[in-house]
Amino acid sequence: HARGGGPDAAAARAFVATGRQGVTYRANTWHHGLTTLDRPGRFAVFMWRAGTRDEEFVPVAPFTIKI
């Protein structure tokens, strides 16, 4: 988390996965939805939403991560 709350873009990390992998985030992990870099892709996203303060959606200014 950033000092003022929300995600810390300066500490952002990225990873590249194959089409045969699943991804699970730890609790309290800020994350962006999955995306493809070089071709169309299909995703299945399973997410539990309780409508509580544990869920937080915030706008993030664009930034670049070099892979």
Side-chain angles (χ1 to χ4, degrees), residues 24-66:
T24 302
Y25 298 105
R26 290 189 311 215
N28 298 315
T29 300
W30 286 100
H31 60 279
H32 182 279
L34 301 174
T35 189
T36 59
L37 300 174
D38 61 350
R39 67 186 88 163
R42 288 192 236 173
F43 301 100
V45 177
F46 300 95
M47 184 174 139
W48 176 64
R49 293 180 67 178
T52 65
R53 288 182 33 145
D54 293 339
E55 299 162 353
E56 195 171 354
F57 296 86
V58 298
V60 177
F63 61 93
T64 300
I65 297 176
K66 294 181 182 182

Side-chain angles (χ1 to χ4, degrees), residues 7-30:
D8 182 358
R13 293 188 179 103
F15 58 89
V16 177
T18 72
R20 298 182 179 271
Q21 289 177 291
V23 177
T24 302
Y25 298 105
R26 290 189 311 215
N28 298 315
T29 300
W30 286 100

